[in-house]
């Protein structure tokens, strides 16, 4: 589980995402605007990736995020596919360059 979480967290950070210093298998991916977080979660769901959009009032305004939960049963291929899709969505929605 730790190896999977590290792989995903390091990959997200390499893409330019802020993961808020997460050190667990639950990884926040900072988005900022709630509309972008919801739109990204919906786009990723269409691609078979379940990731939750967390927005106010659960988090403070301006700190909306995606919450990704890595599991021990995810294969490295599963994680690589998810990472690629999250990166592409981040670029599409102007969250990362």
């Amino acid at each position: 589980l730790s190896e999977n979480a590290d792989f995903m967290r390091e990959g997200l950070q390499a893409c330019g995402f802020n993961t808020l210093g997460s050190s667990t298998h639950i990884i926040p991916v900072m988005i900022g605007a709630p509309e972008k977080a919801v739109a990204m979660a919906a786009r990723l769901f269409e691609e078979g990736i379940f990731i939750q959009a967390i927005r106010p009032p659960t988090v403070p305004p301006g700190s909306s995020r995606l919450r990704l939960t890595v599991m021990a049963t995810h294969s490295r291929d599963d994680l690589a596919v998810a990472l690629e899709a999250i990166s592409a969505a981040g670029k599409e929605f102007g969250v990362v360059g």
Side-chain angles (χ1 to χ4, degrees):
L1 178 59
S2 293
E3 289 175 12
N4 281 352
D6 290 345
F7 174 82
M8 184 57 82
R9 187 175 17 274
E10 291 167 9
L12 289 165
Q13 291 168 354
C15 291
F17 288 104
N18 177 359
T19 60
L20 295 175
S22 168
S23 61
T24 71
H25 68 287
I26 300 171
I27 305 171
V29 180
M30 287 301 296
I31 304 302
E35 302 82 15
K36 285 186 181 183
V38 170
M40 284 181 66
R43 172 65 46 86
L44 292 164
F45 186 75
E46 290 172 359
E47 296 182 36
I49 298 166
F50 181 69
I51 190 167
Q52 297 171 305
I54 309 298
R55 56 200 189 279
T58 306
V59 295
S63 67
S64 292
R65 62 200 71 183
L66 299 176
R67 181 175 291 154
L68 179 92
T69 304
V70 178
M71 299 186 310
T73 55
H74 285 130
S75 71
R76 191 54 54 103
D77 287 341
D78 292 336
L79 298 174
V81 166
L83 187 57
E84 185 177 321
I86 294 166
S87 177
K91 290 175 184 172
E92 177 182 343
F93 289 95
V95 177
V96 294

